[in-house]
Amino acid sequence: MTTRAAGQREQAAEGSLRVGSWLMGIAAVSFIGYAAIFFVRNFTASFLELGIGPHEVNVDKDAIRDFSPSLYHYVSHLHIAVSGFIAATGLAVLFLVAYGVRRGELWAWVGAVAAPVLGLAVALPAHYPNHFDTLGHLGLIYLATLIFVAGALLALRGIVTGHRD
C-alpha cells in the first residue's frame, strides 16, 4: 500500500471516529436529558412519565395518592430511581466516549455500547404488552438510540480501520 493510500485511510478512520464519537456523545447527553424530564415530571401534576396519559393509565397523581398513599410514594420512588439510573448510564457512556472511544479504544466502545443496550434490553420489552409503547413516551429514546447506533457504527468503522495499520 502506498503512503498516500495509507494516509487517506487514516484520515477516513479519524473522520469516522470523530463524527461517530460526537453522535454517541450527543445521544448520551440526550439520555441524561430524558432522565431529567422523567425526574421533574415526578414532582409535577403530570406525575406519570412523558407520553403516558389517560389512554394508558386511567387515573392521575391525585387518584393514585388518594387510593393508596404508600403506593403513590412507591411509584414516586421508582420514578426517581429509574431517572437516576438512566442519567447514570448516559453519564457513563459520555465519559467512555470522551475518554476512550475518541482515542480509538475498542474496550471503551464495547462498554459505551453495552451499557445502554443492557438498559434498553431490560426496559423496552415491558412497554409493549401493557401498551406503554406510545411515540410520546418512547419517541425521544428511539431518536436518541437511532443517533447513538449511527454514531457507534461510524466510530467502530474508525476504530477497526485505525487498528489495521
Side-chain angles (χ1 to χ4, degrees):
M1 179 182 294
T2 67
T3 307
R4 183 174 181 204
Q8 288 174 337
R9 190 178 77 197
E10 187 177 314
Q11 274 187 322
E14 287 176 16
S16 290
L17 193 54
R18 184 178 53 255
V19 172
S21 62
W22 268 103
L23 289 173
M24 290 174 77
I26 289 167
V29 169
S30 298
F31 297 151
I32 296 167
Y34 183 81
I37 292 168
F38 197 115
F39 182 83
V40 168
R41 286 181 65 90
N42 181 70
F43 299 102
T44 67
S46 302
F47 186 63
L48 298 174
E49 300 169 57
L50 184 65
I52 300 297
H55 296 297
E56 294 77 34
V57 177
N58 64 355
V59 294
D60 63 6
K61 177 182 185 174
D62 294 332
I64 295 169
R65 188 175 30 224
D66 291 346
F67 170 73
S68 173
S70 62
L71 177 62
Y72 167 79
H73 291 297
Y74 178 73
V75 170
S76 177
H77 117 277
L78 288 175
H79 287 165
I80 294 166
V82 169
S83 69
F85 280 106
I86 294 170
T89 300
L91 183 63
V93 168
L94 186 59
F95 273 80
L96 284 166
V97 168
Y99 296 104
V101 174
R102 282 190 185 177
R103 294 179 182 152
E105 299 290 344
L106 184 60
W107 65 266
W109 184 90
V110 169
V113 170
V117 165
L118 177 59
L120 291 170
V122 170
L124 281 180
H127 286 77
Y128 302 103
N130 301 305
H131 307 291
F132 297 139
D133 57 335
T134 69
L135 190 57
H137 180 52
L138 296 177
L140 291 177
I141 289 296
Y142 287 155
L143 178 60
T145 300
L146 183 64
I147 292 167
F148 185 81
V149 168
L153 292 173
L154 271 173
L156 181 61
R157 185 169 126 202
I159 290 169
V160 169
T161 302
H163 284 245
R164 278 194 217 153
D165 294 333

